[in-house]
Amino acid sequence: RKVDLVYTRVRTEEKLLLEALRRRDCAVNLVQDSGMVLSMDRQRVTEADTVLMRSMSFTRARYLATFLEMKGLRVLNSARTISLCGDKALTSAALAAKGVPMPWSFVAFDEDACLEAIEQKGYPVVTKPVLGSWGRMVARLDSRTAAEGVLSTRFGTGGAQDHVALVQEYVDKPGYDLRVYVIGRAVGGLRRRSEHWITNTARGAVPERYEVPVVHAKLAEAAAEAVGGDMVAVDLLETRGGDIYVNEINHCVEFARSIDETNVPLPDLIAEYVASGAGG
Ligand code: ADP
Ligand code: ZN
Ligand code: MG
């Protein structure tokens, strides 16, 4: 199989994926996203049959996947999956459409309307940018004054495309959240423990081993299916009462910070999936 690995930076993940693909006799080309210029026609741009999309930029990943699919390539993850997972409001809508359990949430487009809706729900609530990752700008609002401050920033800065607020139920987690890797099927997972309520490893949470129970595996697979994800990391929030919700779905699976605690060889599983010809 001929694979183009599209990247922004060659991080540990991309190095390991490259090695794993080559071990499976895939001919891999590294293609930097910033250098790609794609014409709007069906003209082929590569010898490859498959594109492994590892761009760290949502803008680039979404457009490149769309155009490469238009040119007849199998792209992992698909443009649809990237579009849905990269935007948390669209992820929530896709999950809701399939009845996948998640924290209640709403979107609002105006400061006053949003504040009123939050007041009706009561505090605390969580708000986060619809586009974003690594826990950046995720905020818990414990009071009306906090909500006013965050919403005035959300709606008073940036451009029209930034003026959307995603508000969610605050899930009182038992000190960690859970991540299930779905590579065609649920293959393994990771617990992320933190003193802080934001449990991204990029924000200092400690990765721990986690044997994924069947109910969690099934939930993660349902979430992946709702967005058509071939290879995704599904984040789950457990409540202190033992309920379980899907929080988000990451389309560009990261694992460098937790390689020792993740109980499965993700680069090999991803390479196997790529080589199998499934998905796209
Ligand atoms: P990102 O894409 O930046 O990782 P997330 O939605 O995953 O955004 O939020 C980052 C972290 O914040 C989560 O891993 C979780 O620890 C915490 N978090 C996010 N939303 C909620 C919520 N509704 N209730 C409780 N904790 C949350
Ligand atoms: Zn994320
Ligand atoms: Mg997350």
Side-chain angles (χ1 to χ4, degrees):
R1 200 165 287 283
K2 293 198 175 115
V3 180
D4 278 355
L5 193 164
V6 176
Y7 70 97
T8 305
R9 287 197 284 119
V10 180
R11 302 169 290 176
T12 307
E13 280 89 350
E14 285 68 36
K15 284 188 196 121
L16 293 171
L17 286 167
L18 181 63
E19 288 165 16
L21 285 163
R22 290 194 169 145
R23 274 199 300 277
R24 291 190 179 265
D25 290 331
C26 290
V28 189
N29 252 321
L30 283 174
V31 185
Q32 191 161 23
D33 55 7
S34 55
M36 296 178 80
V37 177
L38 297 180
S39 59
M40 297 298 134
D41 54 52
R42 302 212 69 205
Q43 206 177 325
R44 284 206 83 108
V45 283
T46 171
E47 292 291 297
D49 50 79
T50 299
V51 175
L52 183 56
M53 182 53 68
R54 296 289 310 180
S55 172
M56 292 163 69
S57 150
F58 175 51
T59 303
R60 292 178 192 170
R62 180 168 56 135
Y63 287 127
L64 290 172
T66 303
F67 303 152
L68 292 165
E69 282 178 1
M70 177 268 287
K71 287 171 180 292
L73 286 145
R74 165 182 178 243
V75 184
L76 303 173
N77 281 292
S78 70
R80 171 171 176 263
T81 299
I82 292 169
S83 300
L84 292 176
C85 295
D87 181 316
K88 289 181 171 68
L90 297 184
T91 309
S92 302
L95 293 173
K98 296 290 177 192
V100 178
M102 59 179 192
W104 60 250
S105 50
F106 62 78
V107 287
F109 305 97
D110 168 88
E111 198 172 329
D112 295 336
C114 190
L115 187 62
E116 195 178 312
I118 291 173
E119 287 278 312
Q120 272 166 25
K121 285 291 194 182
Y123 301 93
V125 296
V126 172
T127 181
K128 53 182 91 165
V130 293
L131 316 183
S133 55
W134 302 321
R136 290 173 303 190
M137 290 183 278
V138 175
R140 187 173 86 194
L141 310 178
D142 295 317
S143 65
R144 181 184 177 106
T145 46
E148 286 169 351
V150 168
L151 294 180
S152 72
T153 307
R154 174 72 40 83
F155 289 100
T157 59
Q161 75 280 0
D162 302 307
H163 297 165
V164 49
L166 173 63
V167 178
Q168 290 186 332
E169 169 183 3
Y170 170 66
V171 178
D172 187 19
K173 306 182 289 302
Y176 58 79
D177 77 353
L178 303 167
R179 167 164 290 186
V180 179
Y181 298 102
V182 178
I183 315 296
R185 64 194 162 82
V187 293
L190 188 73
R191 186 183 288 115
R192 304 186 295 178
R193 186 177 295 280
S194 179
E195 303 276 299
H196 200 281
W197 72 276
I198 296 177
T199 56
N200 296 72
T201 53
R203 294 270 295 254
V206 177
E208 295 178 351
R209 283 184 77 99
Y210 149 58
E211 293 302 327
V212 184
V214 174
V215 274
H216 294 182
K218 289 254 185 307
L219 179 60
E221 286 172 356
E225 197 185 320
V227 295
D230 290 303
M231 39 183 72
V232 291
V234 181
D235 290 351
L236 307 178
L237 301 177
E238 206 169 13
T239 68
R240 288 183 192 268
D243 287 330
I244 184 104
Y245 298 121
V246 174
N247 177 42
E248 69 153 344
I249 308 173
N250 298 286
H251 60 84
C252 190
V253 176
E254 292 180 2
F255 47 81
R257 281 190 207 83
S258 51
I259 205 122
D260 297 331
E261 294 78 15
T262 305
N263 49 357
V264 289
L266 280 175
D268 288 311
L269 289 164
I270 291 172
E272 190 184 342
Y273 192 90
V274 170
S276 77

